[in-house]
Amino acid sequence: MAPPTAVAIHAITDTAAAALPEPLTVDGVAKRRHAAGKLSGGVAAATSSDLFKGFGYCKQRAKRWDGHLSKESRARQVRYSIRAPLVSMRMLSLGGGLPSSRYFPIEHLQVKVPAVGHFSEEETKESGVVLKAGKYDLSEGKGLYERGDCILSEEYTFATAVETAAPMGVGVVGIKMDDQGLLPEDMDDILTSWDENERGGARKPRLLYTVPSGQNPTGATQGLERRQALYKVAQKHDVYILEDEPYYFLQMEPYTTGGALTASLPQTHGDFLKALVPSLLSMDVDGRVMRLDSFSKVISPGSRVGWITASEQVVERFVRHSEVSVQNPSGLAQLTLYKLLDESWGHEGFLDWLMHIRKEYTQRRDLILNACEKHLPKDIVSWSPPMAGMFLWLKIDWTNHPEASGKDPVAIEGEIFQTCVDRGVLLSPGSWFRAEKFKHHDTLFFRATFAAAEGEQMEEAIRRFGGAVRGVFKIS
Amino acid sequence: MAPPTAVAIHAITDTAAAALPEPLTVDGVAKRRHAAGKLSGGVAAATSSDLFKGFGYCKQRAKRWDGHLSKESRARQVRYSIRAPLVSMRMLSLGGGLPSSRYFPIEHLQVKVPAVGHFSEEETKESGVVLKAGKYDLSEGKGLYERGDCILSEEYTFATAVETAAPMGVGVVGIKMDDQGLLPEDMDDILTSWDENERGGARKPRLLYTVPSGQNPTGATQGLERRQALYKVAQKHDVYILEDEPYYFLQMEPYTTGGALTASLPQTHGDFLKALVPSLLSMDVDGRVMRLDSFSKVISPGSRVGWITASEQVVERFVRHSEVSVQNPSGLAQLTLYKLLDESWGHEGFLDWLMHIRKEYTQRRDLILNACEKHLPKDIVSWSPPMAGMFLWLKIDWTNHPEASGKDPVAIEGEIFQTCVDRGVLLSPGSWFRAEKFKHHDTLFFRATFAAAEGEQMEEAIRRFGGAVRGVFKIS
């Protein structure tokens, strides 16, 4: 295709357009901004720069750049599957992955800045303006691998991790799971029987991505023996492990029917630490584990700060990558965390906080499980009490569906999802989290988050979900 | 190589090591933290997690993972060249690229968090702890392309941009420059005469990375006609433009010898905006420009927040990439910017601030130029007054060196750099910024930053630099 010819600047090619918008002026910005209204929504609400744009624009449309995009860029998929349904505000949602703001310990944030026209540091000290943002201001209306390689993960996994790899030509192979997460024997089978020819030339995987505690989406937690077995398989096949542990410190007490939480809560820091399942990192004798930690679930998702622990060699490579991408996390976020965790709370206060949320999460988990016992048809829906994290994984026995013989489970999943939406409740369909998108699954799951909705709403959401399942399966 | 065999957890393989360190306990953290001492350093000072680590560790060393690293990961280079010399605190440094904290308008930041043991939101409102970080607390002691492709940039360019592309197998071709930045005729020549065979099979470049205003490291600013000519060449060869404009709002008044700044400063918002060179984006009629803006140089480098402007298609691809990498900038940083720019200052206050720093930068630029006039040997060192940004690009006529005939300019550059270090002044050698690392250059430059050091130190630094050049060239 011949390149386009040069066109005069600010050319307006279609003068037939009747009413051109007023050009944007400095004075006009405030007016347009005002017309866009207040921001609204809860914690981490979706917003858009469209809210701040003018109402019209008199440039011609850009041409298409398909030929200039790399294979990698063209292959990136829209993540509508997870994000789109979340914008609906009237729904009772157990679909998302963000805890209640109750579990993020920042009541307000304040900065002192110069008043307009008094910009010097001396003036700012005297007459600077203090800006304050409260936790609820918004909701209250105030303001490694080459193309052709494969990596391993749980058969249901954190969608973003898989979607990062896919456009780089890296495939994902899902390992079968039970209620303690991935099965080391299945991992061993996959690797032992790996045949490059059957796998389209892909080499035997050398990397495992796993979320051992409160796995997203299944809520499964690998026990100590499971982790030891997994580590041995990784050694046998020389696989490097990415241990992603955002929910590690959200481990809970065992569930007893009816939720008789009390005496078993750990009372000392030592007891609390002893009650945590040892991480894969703690068993690592080869330097084959990189553990990923995050403040996103226990301090603030908005901090965008986490940390890694790995061997010197691997950390050094990680730093090289970081230097030419994000370089550093936000300094404002780092400063906030430093003041809170180092200067104010210290390790002891942080442990107190983690013990506090352990209790809160245990109570919430018990609450949703009690609601499930009460409102779900147990001959169709089954589950295991999660031991960590914020997800409950509900298994649907689709073979009980009246048209089971002629239908794909994915079709029945869609039917349940739509019925849920009609009844005003959101849970995330299990198929959204499949590591291998195009492999046939004969199982059907929904993921519910118990970290976000308040108690009564959570029970009402489960009641509606039970109603939806009964409706679809035509039982009373 | 056979994989290592499984080893018992916590195995200590070398029991001969005499004094094992005490294991780390919760109580021990504060003690070790105390022993590490206070953080010290100026704005954006280097720090290290080593400061917070224990003094010993009883695990065996990790094995090497070279075989598991991708080609891309192995190819990442250490950025010592720029970073390492900056850690020295006794130097007068004009070498870095970070403005004085005077030009970042945050006097303090404050967050309210729960007191330890009183974690509920109700208690926090009543008895929460307010943590405050002052601006000077610390200093006062309190991929679009595939392997084998090439992109275009200025022949001296922002090192990080080039280093991002290199390990992905993307080469960089430097375009010749004058004091208005890259030469469109040279860009046209390169593209017109492109021969894939001569270039090792690389396709004709389809992307230009350019910094049109106050370019790093040369300080050059493309005038209006230069930008128009550049845009036409991009159209002729169908090249997409990444217009990186971190210094766009740091444009200054013209320099007059002696620095007679005063009457010419713009007095109204309209005058200020009119005084800015139009961006490439403003001339774009094809949607072939993505403009990159940043708060790093005018509000806060620690915010790690910037924005892009481009056509719908390209922005959509950008969003897909972001979703699986950083996802979002820090919410704490976004909140701070929202409170400052939207709720407090508004567009008008922000323009007032930019006009304020235009004056400050013009004064600083004049100050360093006056110092150069006074202290540098003009038969060896020459320069053009920069019109934007924070960099002064000093050209050294190395042919006047007593051993010029037998020496490479890079050797003379090293000699000057070492003499500067010995005399306690840092400027950045021009060769650090070369787009094509291995191409022979017969020019020699040093980059000086005038945005960071205070006035007297800046003059003293230039005096020392002049002394170093005189010493190396053996003139009085």
Side-chain angles (χ1 to χ4, degrees), chain A residues 3-7 9 26-27 29 33 59-68 70-74 76-79 102 105-114 116 119 121 124-125 131-133 135-136 143-146 160 164 206 228 235-236 238 273 281-282 284-288 302 304 311-313 317 320-321 323-324 326-333 335-336 338-340 342 344-345 347-349 351-353 356, chain B residues 3-7 9 26-27 29 33 59-68 70-71 73-74 76-79 102 105-114 116 119 121 124-125 131-133 135-136 143-144 146 160 164 206 228 235-236 238 273 281-282 284-288 302 304 311-313 317 320-321 323-324 326-333 335-336 338-340 342-345 347-349 351-353 356:
Chain A
T5 52
V7 182
I9 294 157
V26 173
D27 296 341
V29 170
R33 176 67 192 86
K59 274 199 166 186
Q60 64 196 76
R61 290 185 71 80
K63 65 181 201 122
R64 299 282 306 177
W65 292 89
D66 306 80
H68 282 55
S70 69
K71 202 164 164 182
E72 177 192 327
S73 178
R74 282 197 304 267
R76 292 252 171 250
Q77 295 298 314
V78 180
R79 296 191 61 233
R102 196 174 289 277
I106 293 179
E107 201 262 345
H108 74 244
L109 177 145
Q110 206 169 284
V111 287
K112 189 171 184 184
V113 299
V116 172
F119 291 124
E121 294 188 331
T124 306
K125 210 157 267 177
L131 307 177
K132 183 175 168 182
K135 196 173 183 180
Y136 293 105
L144 297 184
Y145 274 53
E146 308 285 289
T160 302
T164 302
R206 293 175 296 165
Q228 289 170 330
Q235 287 190 311
K236 179 176 167 192
D238 204 19
L273 291 171
L281 180 73
S282 76
D284 186 19
V285 289
D286 305 326
R288 71 171 64 252
R304 311 312 296 149
S311 75
E312 197 174 355
Q313 179 194 15
R317 290 290 87 191
R320 295 290 86 74
H321 284 281
E323 279 174 348
V324 293
V326 291
Q327 299 204 357
N328 308 290
S330 160
L332 296 170
L335 186 57
T336 303
Y338 169 76
K339 297 297 286 190
L340 174 64
D342 193 286
S344 174
W345 283 2
H347 280 66
E348 302 200 345
L351 286 171
D352 284 343
W353 170 255
H356 166 71
Chain B
T5 54
V7 182
I9 294 159
V26 174
D27 295 341
V29 170
R33 177 65 192 88
K59 275 201 167 186
Q60 63 195 75
R61 290 187 68 81
K63 61 181 205 123
R64 299 280 307 176
W65 291 90
D66 306 79
H68 281 56
S70 69
K71 201 165 165 183
S73 178
R74 284 197 303 270
R76 292 251 171 249
Q77 297 296 312
V78 181
R79 297 191 61 233
R102 195 174 289 278
I106 294 180
E107 202 262 346
H108 74 245
L109 177 145
Q110 207 169 282
V111 286
K112 189 171 186 184
V113 300
V116 172
F119 290 125
E121 294 189 331
T124 305
K125 208 159 266 178
L131 308 175
K132 182 175 166 182
K135 194 173 182 179
Y136 293 105
L144 293 187
E146 306 284 291
T160 302
T164 302
R206 292 174 296 166
Q228 289 170 329
Q235 287 190 309
K236 179 178 166 190
D238 204 19
L273 292 171
L281 180 72
S282 75
D284 186 16
V285 289
D286 304 326
R288 70 171 64 251
R304 310 311 295 149
S311 75
E312 197 173 355
Q313 179 193 15
R317 290 291 86 191
R320 295 290 86 74
H321 285 280
E323 279 174 348
V324 292
V326 291
Q327 298 203 359
N328 308 291
S330 159
L332 296 170
L335 185 58
T336 303
Y338 168 75
K339 296 296 286 190
L340 174 63
D342 192 286
E343 283 196 11
S344 175
W345 283 3
H347 280 68
E348 301 199 345
L351 286 171
D352 284 344
W353 170 257
H356 167 71

Side-chain angles (χ1 to χ4, degrees), chain A residues 210-224:
Chain A
T210 181
V211 181
S213 310
Q215 201 251 1
N216 182 1
T218 65
T221 298
Q222 299 166 6
L224 173 62

Side-chain angles (χ1 to χ4, degrees), chain B residues 41-351:
Chain B
V43 173
T47 185
S48 166
S49 61
D50 287 337
L51 293 172
F52 303 93
K53 286 179 189 162
F55 303 124
Y57 198 52
C58 41
K59 275 201 167 186
Q60 63 195 75
R61 290 187 68 81
K63 61 181 205 123
R64 299 280 307 176
W65 291 90
D66 306 79
H68 281 56
L69 294 176
S70 69
K71 201 165 165 183
E72 176 191 330
S73 178
R74 284 197 303 270
R76 292 251 171 249
Q77 297 296 312
V78 181
R79 297 191 61 233
Y80 286 145
S81 53
I82 295 252
R83 301 281 153 107
L86 302 184
V87 299
S88 165
M89 300 284 297
R90 263 170 292 181
M91 293 272 176
L92 292 180
S93 175
L94 308 181
L98 185 75
S100 163
S101 49
R102 195 174 289 278
Y103 306 123
F104 301 129
I106 294 180
E107 202 262 346
H108 74 245
L109 177 145
Q110 207 169 282
V111 286
K112 189 171 186 184
V113 300
V116 172
H118 303 275
F119 290 125
S120 77
E121 294 189 331
E122 295 67 29
E123 287 172 295
T124 305
K125 208 159 266 178
E126 293 297 318
S127 64
V129 180
V130 173
L131 308 175
K132 182 175 166 182
K135 194 173 182 179
Y136 293 105
D137 281 5
L138 210 57
S139 56
E140 287 169 3
K142 304 175 214 167
L144 293 187
Y145 279 57
E146 306 284 291
R147 289 197 167 270
D149 270 325
C150 280
I151 59 175
L152 300 167
S153 78
E154 286 93 353
E155 63 178 335
Y156 292 94
T157 186
F158 177 46
T160 302
V162 174
E163 287 164 8
T164 302
M168 293 189 278
V170 175
V172 180
V173 177
I175 302 167
K176 290 205 188 81
M177 308 176 74
D178 65 10
D179 60 0
Q180 281 203 35
L182 69 80
L183 293 165
E185 312 86 74
D186 189 51
M187 177 170 159
D188 191 17
D189 281 353
I190 290 169
L191 292 168
T192 303
S193 65
W194 192 269
D195 182 327
E196 292 196 3
N197 294 325
E198 277 175 23
R199 299 278 184 174
R203 288 182 300 174
K204 191 171 149 179
R206 292 174 296 166
L207 182 82
L208 167 69
Y209 170 78
T210 181
V211 181
S213 310
Q215 201 253 1
N216 182 1
T218 65
T221 299
Q222 299 165 7
L224 173 61
E225 286 166 27
R226 177 65 58 94
R227 291 178 194 222
Q228 289 170 329
L230 187 170
Y231 189 80
K232 278 191 184 156
V233 173
Q235 287 190 309
K236 179 178 166 190
H237 295 284
D238 204 19
V239 165
Y240 193 86
I241 302 171
L242 282 185
E243 179 186 33
D244 191 9
E245 283 283 27
Y247 314 106
Y248 185 77
F249 293 108
L250 298 180
Q251 293 181 41
M252 295 168 285
E253 298 305 309
Y255 175 71
T256 50
T257 310
L261 160 77
T262 41
S264 60
L265 278 168
Q267 299 300 312
T268 69
H269 295 154
D271 289 347
F272 170 72
L273 292 171
K274 248 177 264 163
L276 301 173
V277 186
S279 68
L280 288 162
L281 180 72
S282 75
M283 341 184 151
D284 186 16
V285 289
D286 304 326
R288 70 171 64 251
V289 178
M290 176 189 283
R291 175 167 159 167
L292 314 171
D293 281 272
S294 172
F295 287 117
S296 282
K297 306 300 175 188
V298 295
I299 295 287
S300 163
S303 74
R304 310 311 295 149
V305 176
W307 67 99
I308 61 163
T309 316
S311 75
E312 197 173 355
Q313 179 193 15
V314 177
V315 168
E316 193 270 346
R317 290 291 86 191
F318 189 95
V319 172
R320 295 290 86 74
H321 285 280
S322 300
E323 279 174 348
V324 292
S325 60
V326 291
Q327 298 203 359
N328 308 291
S330 159
L332 296 170
Q334 290 189 70
L335 185 58
T336 303
L337 292 167
Y338 168 75
K339 296 296 286 190
L340 174 63
L341 296 175
D342 192 286
E343 283 196 11
S344 175
W345 283 3
H347 280 68
E348 301 199 345
F350 183 50
L351 286 171

Side-chain angles (χ1 to χ4, degrees), chain A residues 52 203 205 217 221 237 384 466:
Chain A
F52 303 92
R203 290 182 300 172
T221 298
H237 296 282
S384 298

Side-chain angles (χ1 to χ4, degrees), chain A residues 428-451:
Chain A
S428 300
S431 64
W432 289 357
F433 304 97
R434 286 182 185 166
E436 299 178 59
K437 297 285 176 205
F438 302 108
K439 192 174 167 181
H440 177 77
H441 289 61
D442 63 357
T443 46
L444 203 171
F445 295 95
F446 277 84
R447 186 192 80 174
T449 308
F450 53 87

